[in-house]
């Protein structure tokens, strides 16, 4: 029979290649399709890329839909402020808005220090701390960024979580400033609406002012006319004062002359004494005439008696009787004359008495007049004062003329005021209640402050804690390919399980230790990453490499070469669950639930704690978890699966070199 691989007649190059390929395909196909296990292996290999795509893309498919799983602390210590007679508490409003948005899983907390501690421990992605004076600094807007909001995060815990905190802080500041501006404008509009009545009253007052200005204009016009009349009167007064000055000069001269010619007091005294003496002499003369009248009456009575005796006597001669009769007649006439003289003297005495009284009154009046003249002369203004009065009247006339001109200007100004108030009434602007504060302060009154714990040098350093475990897992997987993990020499059939494990994994473990050392050299001397705890980092890296090797060996012992493939698939699951690209809470419930139970997650925590001081620098817990996982993998490797014992000559390297 001719072999299928025997050469045939010469054909073209392409036809030869196709024929030879078909022959090899017919030989290889039964190897994969001849058994169910081989067929399953083919299908598993075919599914691995699709599974990688599903695992990675599903972990970052829609982070926003899972943002509510990201835990954020809210600490509101704001005491509020009374602004324009309204109580405002921006902290309460901000917390309420954040909780209503449900963007993250917010948790209210009372203590800022407790929130910071939760962030450092990794229980919270970050925390928003609203200080007690937030409203009092933010609402007035006196200075830009006066209202501080503290966003506390840890770069070392989660570099991407810290970036989310940064974006949250910037967006929060923008939204809070927008909200404050909206509230301020609402308050301005509210005050404007509330001041509508006040504006109307102001308009009414302006109308009344306009009416008063009208009256003022009318009164100013009348005042201007009155000022002109006053100026004319002042001119006439000036003329009259001039005449008065001339008359005062004459009056002064006359009064001074009268004062010089007035009788002296001694003369008045002599006149008064003479009048009194005259009145006394007339009184004595009246009394003397009375005595003479009485004597005349007695004599007349005697002569009458003698006549009667003479008439009755014959002895008396007629001539004597005639003489007696004549004597009696003469005495009668004398008596009548004395009586008349007495009456006249009485009247003269009375007149003298009245004259004396009049002279006394006259002298008293003259004395008083003399005193008044002396006073008048003393009070009489000097000629210079009269001249000053005349000049003052002239100044008054000129001032009144100026006043008349000023009143004309006042009249013009009042008319302008009238026109201005008319414009005010017709074009009164609506008042605006201007907010307080500065322009920049009102526009940007809130400035979030980002406080970072466990700071990281740069983005590469932040991802190092996630990349190093993946590199160690990949290195452990490659190291496991160096040996055939199911084959042992026949001589090891009676060895203890621990001896078999140590002997079989000594070479791959040495390779893993070399890998860990090179990773540490790369971190310290190539990338120059600042490490907080170098010894802790070294312990974590070495333990992680050995543990990963044991896990890969356990899977291989359990599932054969499919276990190696499964270990690579398991790597993808762990990377998606460790929060390397995004915080694991944003990757979905499956990855967030798996994360705390995966070895790489523990290694990532330990690396972050030792490299950046994250999680309060506590790396021992994660290190212990990694050691326990390695011990469990070692125990599985020793007890699970069956060893294939072959001759020593059949022990060949697992890789073809």
């Amino acid at each position: 029979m001719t072999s299928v691989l025997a050469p045939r007649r010469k054909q073209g190059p392409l036809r030869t290649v196709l024929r030879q390929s078909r022959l090899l395909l017919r030989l290889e196909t039964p190897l994969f399709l001849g058994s169910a296990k081989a067929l399953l292996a083919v299908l598993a290999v075919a599914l691995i890329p699709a599974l990688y795509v599903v695992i990675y893309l599903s972990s970052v498919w829609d982070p926003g839909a899972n943002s509510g799983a990201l835990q954020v602390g809210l600490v509101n210590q704001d005491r509020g402020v009374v602004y324009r007679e309204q109580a405002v508490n921006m902290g309460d409003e901000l917390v309420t808005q954040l909780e209503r948005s449900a963007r993250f899983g917010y948790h209210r907390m009372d203590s800022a220090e407790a929130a910071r501690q939760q962030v450092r421990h990794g229980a919270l992605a970050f925390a928003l701390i609203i200080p007690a004076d937030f409203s009092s600094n933010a609402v007035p807007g006196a200075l830009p960024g006066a209202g501080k909001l503290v966003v506390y995060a840890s770069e070392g815990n989660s570099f991407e979580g810290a970036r989310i905190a940064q974006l949250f802080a910037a967006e929060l500041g923008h939204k809070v400033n927008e909200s404050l501006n909206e509230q301020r404008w609402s308050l301005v509009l509210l005050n404007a609406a509330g001041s509508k009545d006040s504006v109307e009253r102001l308009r009414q007052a302006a109308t009344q002012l306009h009416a008063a200005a009208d009256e003022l204009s009318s009164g100013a016009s009348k005042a201007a006319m009155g000022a002109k009349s006053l100026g004319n009167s002042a001119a006439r007064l000036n003329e009259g004062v001039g005449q008065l000055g001339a008359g005062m000069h004459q009056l002064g001269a006359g009064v001074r002359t009268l004062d010089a010619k007035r009788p002296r007091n001694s003369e008045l005294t002599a006149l008064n004494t003479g009048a009194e003496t005259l009145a006394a002499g007339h009184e004595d003369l009246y009394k003397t005439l009375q005595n003479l009248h009485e004597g005349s009456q007695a004599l007349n009575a005697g002569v009458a008696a003698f006549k009667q005796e003479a008439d009755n006597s014959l002895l008396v001669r007629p001539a004597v009787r005639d003489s007696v009769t004549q004597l009696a007649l003469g005495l009668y006439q004398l008596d009548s004359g004395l009586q008349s003289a007495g009456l006249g003297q009485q009247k003269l005495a009375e007149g003298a008495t009245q004259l004396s009284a009049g002279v006394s009154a006259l002298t008293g009046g003259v004395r008083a007049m003399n005193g008044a003249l002396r006073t008048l002369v003393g009070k009489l203004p000097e000629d210079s004062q009269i001249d000053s009065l005349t000049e003052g009247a002239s100044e008054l006339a000129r001032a009144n003329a100026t006043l008349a001109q000023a009143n004309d200007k006042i009249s013009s100004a009042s008319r302008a005021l009238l026109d201005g108030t008319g414009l005010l009434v017709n074009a009164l602007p609506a008042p605006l209640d201007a907010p307080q504060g500065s322009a920049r302060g009102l526009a940007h009154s809130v400035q979030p402050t980002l406080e970072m714990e466990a700071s990281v040098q740069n983005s590469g350093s932040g991802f190092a804690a996630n990349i190093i475990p993946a590199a160690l897992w990949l290195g452990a997987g490659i190291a496991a390919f160096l040996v055939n993990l199911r084959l042992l020499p026949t001589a090891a059939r009676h060895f203890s399980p621990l001896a078999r494990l140590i002997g079989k994994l000594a070479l791959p473990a040495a390779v893993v230790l070399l890998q860990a050392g090179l990773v540490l050299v790369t971190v310290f001397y190539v990338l120059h990453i600042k490490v907080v705890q170098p010894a802790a980092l070294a312990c974590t890296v070495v333990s992680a490499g050995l543990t990963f090797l044991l896990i890969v060996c356990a899977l291989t012992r359990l599932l054969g070469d499919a276990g190696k493939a499964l270990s690579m698939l398991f790597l993808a699951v762990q990377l998606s669950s460790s929060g390397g690209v995004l915080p694991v809470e944003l990757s979905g419930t499956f990855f967030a639930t798996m994360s705390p139970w995966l070895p790489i997650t523990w290694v990532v925590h330990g690396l972050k704690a030792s490299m950046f001081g994250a999680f309060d620098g506590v790396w021992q817990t994660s290190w212990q978890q990694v050691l326990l996982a390695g011990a469990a993998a070692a125990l599985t490797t020793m007890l699970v699966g069956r060893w294939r014992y072959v001759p020593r000559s059949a022990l060949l390297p697992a890789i073809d070199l």
Side-chain angles (χ1 to χ4, degrees):
M1 177 179 293
T2 304
S3 173
V4 294
L5 296 178
R8 295 187 178 184
R9 64 180 181 275
K10 188 176 181 180
Q11 298 176 344
L14 180 59
R15 293 178 64 84
T16 300
V17 169
L18 292 176
R19 180 179 62 80
Q20 294 173 351
S21 299
R22 286 195 300 269
L23 290 175
L24 291 175
L25 179 60
R26 286 198 298 269
L27 292 175
E28 293 288 339
T29 300
L31 299 178
F32 292 96
L33 302 180
S35 67
K37 290 184 177 181
L39 184 58
L40 289 175
V42 172
L43 293 176
V45 171
L47 284 174
I48 286 176
L51 290 174
Y52 263 87
V53 171
V54 170
I55 291 171
Y56 276 115
L57 292 184
S58 62
S59 66
V60 294
W61 187 254
D62 188 7
N66 302 310
S67 63
L70 197 65
Q71 304 302 302
V72 176
L74 293 179
V75 181
N76 181 21
Q77 299 174 335
D78 191 11
R79 293 192 296 264
V81 67
V82 177
Y83 181 70
R84 298 194 176 188
E85 301 180 356
Q86 291 191 8
V88 179
N89 192 308
M90 289 300 300
D92 291 342
E93 296 179 10
L94 177 57
V95 169
T96 302
Q97 290 177 1
L98 290 176
E99 291 179 335
R100 187 181 297 118
S101 68
R103 179 180 179 184
F104 300 117
Y106 295 108
H107 296 277
R108 292 201 186 196
M109 305 181 70
D110 297 328
S111 172
E113 184 56 34
R116 287 186 169 94
Q117 186 176 8
Q118 291 291 319
V119 172
R120 290 194 296 269
H121 290 172
L124 296 175
F126 58 90
L128 172 63
I129 302 172
I130 305 173
D133 57 354
F134 175 62
S135 292
S136 59
N137 290 332
V139 174
L143 296 173
K148 299 296 183 182
L149 290 173
V150 178
V151 177
Y152 186 80
S154 175
E155 279 187 323
N157 287 16
S158 174
F159 187 76
E160 287 302 315
R163 292 185 62 184
I164 292 175
Q166 291 176 342
L167 295 175
F168 172 79
E171 183 179 353
L172 180 66
H174 179 69
K175 286 186 177 180
V176 173
N177 282 317
E178 279 189 347
S179 177
L180 276 173
N181 291 333
E182 182 179 353
Q183 290 188 18
R184 291 192 186 103
W185 279 112
S186 297
L187 186 60
V188 168
L189 294 177
L190 179 62
N191 290 339
S195 62
K196 182 178 181 181
D197 294 339
S198 300
V199 173
E200 184 62 27
R201 289 195 297 271
L202 179 60
R203 187 178 298 278
Q204 294 176 359
T207 303
Q208 295 175 358
L209 177 63
H210 180 64
D214 190 10
E215 295 179 359
L216 175 63
S217 177
S218 177
S221 299
K222 295 179 181 179
M225 295 176 62
K228 291 180 181 178
S229 299
L230 181 61
N232 296 331
S233 299
R236 291 195 296 270
L237 175 63
N238 184 29
E239 182 180 356
V241 168
Q243 296 176 357
L244 176 62
M248 287 295 293
H249 283 300
Q250 295 176 1
L251 176 62
V255 169
R256 292 186 181 91
T257 300
L258 182 62
D259 180 61
K261 299 297 183 180
R262 64 181 173 78
R264 301 294 180 260
N265 289 336
S266 59
E267 295 175 349
L268 294 174
T269 302
L271 176 61
N272 188 30
T273 302
E276 290 176 351
T277 302
L278 178 61
H282 280 289
E283 185 67 29
D284 292 339
L285 180 59
Y286 172 72
K287 292 179 180 179
T288 301
L289 289 175
Q290 286 291 106
N291 292 332
L292 287 176
H293 177 63
E294 292 176 355
S296 175
Q297 286 181 345
L299 182 59
N300 192 20
V303 172
F306 178 72
K307 180 181 177 182
Q308 186 176 5
E309 289 178 359
D311 287 339
N312 294 327
S313 177
L314 293 177
L315 295 177
V316 177
R317 290 182 299 182
V320 174
R321 285 194 293 272
D322 293 335
S323 298
V324 172
T325 301
Q326 292 178 353
L327 179 60
L329 182 59
L331 287 172
Y332 176 74
Q333 293 178 348
L334 177 62
D335 182 62
S336 298
L338 287 172
Q339 186 176 1
S340 299
L343 294 173
Q345 182 57 38
Q346 183 180 2
K347 294 180 179 179
L348 185 60
E350 293 175 355
T353 300
Q354 294 176 354
L355 176 62
S356 177
V359 169
S360 296
L362 176 62
T363 55
V366 171
R367 287 192 183 94
M369 184 184 70
N370 289 339
L373 281 173
R374 286 194 297 274
T375 302
L376 178 62
V377 171
K379 299 296 182 179
L380 192 68
E382 299 294 335
D383 290 342
S384 60
Q385 294 176 334
I386 296 173
D387 293 338
S388 298
L389 175 63
T390 304
E391 293 176 359
S394 299
E395 289 291 335
L396 178 62
R398 289 192 294 271
N400 274 285
T402 304
L403 177 62
Q405 295 176 358
N407 273 286
D408 289 337
K409 293 181 180 180
I410 291 174
S411 179
S412 300
S414 63
R415 286 193 296 271
L417 175 62
L418 179 63
D419 296 338
T421 54
L423 292 175
L424 176 63
V425 171
N426 295 328
L428 184 65
L432 290 177
D433 190 7
Q436 300 174 355
S438 64
R440 291 186 60 198
L442 290 172
H444 303 284
S445 56
V446 175
Q447 178 63 49
T449 300
L450 192 64
E451 294 184 4
M452 281 296 178
E453 181 71 16
S455 61
V456 177
Q457 289 176 261
N458 48 48
S459 179
S461 300
F463 283 107
N466 295 90
I467 298 302
I468 290 174
L472 292 174
W473 187 282
L474 183 61
I478 295 175
F481 281 106
L482 294 176
V483 295
N484 196 326
L485 295 176
R486 283 190 164 189
L487 297 181
L488 283 176
T490 305
R493 185 183 297 273
H494 302 291
F495 290 176
S496 66
L498 181 59
R500 295 170 185 169
L501 176 66
I502 294 175
K504 194 65 176 178
L505 296 183
L507 180 60
V511 174
V512 167
L513 290 177
L514 179 61
Q515 292 173 346
L518 293 175
V519 167
L520 291 174
V521 170
T522 302
V523 169
F524 288 122
Y525 301 107
V526 177
L527 299 178
H528 300 286
I529 298 176
K530 295 180 180 179
V531 178
V532 176
Q533 302 180 74
L537 176 64
C539 288
T540 303
V541 169
V542 170
S543 301
L546 293 176
T547 297
F548 293 164
L549 175 62
L550 290 170
I551 293 174
V552 173
C553 290
L555 292 174
T556 304
R557 285 280 296 143
L558 184 62
L559 302 174
D561 289 339
K564 296 179 181 179
L566 183 61
S567 67
M568 296 298 103
L569 192 62
F570 189 33
L571 173 62
V573 174
Q574 293 186 96
L575 289 178
S576 300
S577 301
S578 63
V581 179
L582 291 173
V584 67
E585 294 87 353
L586 302 181
S587 297
T589 305
F590 171 77
F591 296 100
T593 304
M594 291 285 294
S595 178
W597 306 98
L598 299 176
I600 283 186
T601 300
W602 306 332
V603 176
V604 168
H605 282 212
L607 291 176
K608 289 182 176 179
S610 58
M611 293 178 69
F612 313 123
F615 306 105
D616 271 345
V618 179
W619 62 276
Q620 294 87 347
T621 302
S622 300
W623 179 60
Q624 293 169 0
Q625 291 173 327
V626 171
L627 292 180
L628 289 175
L635 186 61
T636 302
T637 303
M638 289 188 294
L639 301 179
V640 176
R642 291 182 303 173
W643 293 101
R644 290 174 56 193
Y645 298 99
V646 296
R648 184 174 181 180
S649 59
L651 290 175
L652 299 175
I655 57 175
D656 188 10
L657 299 176

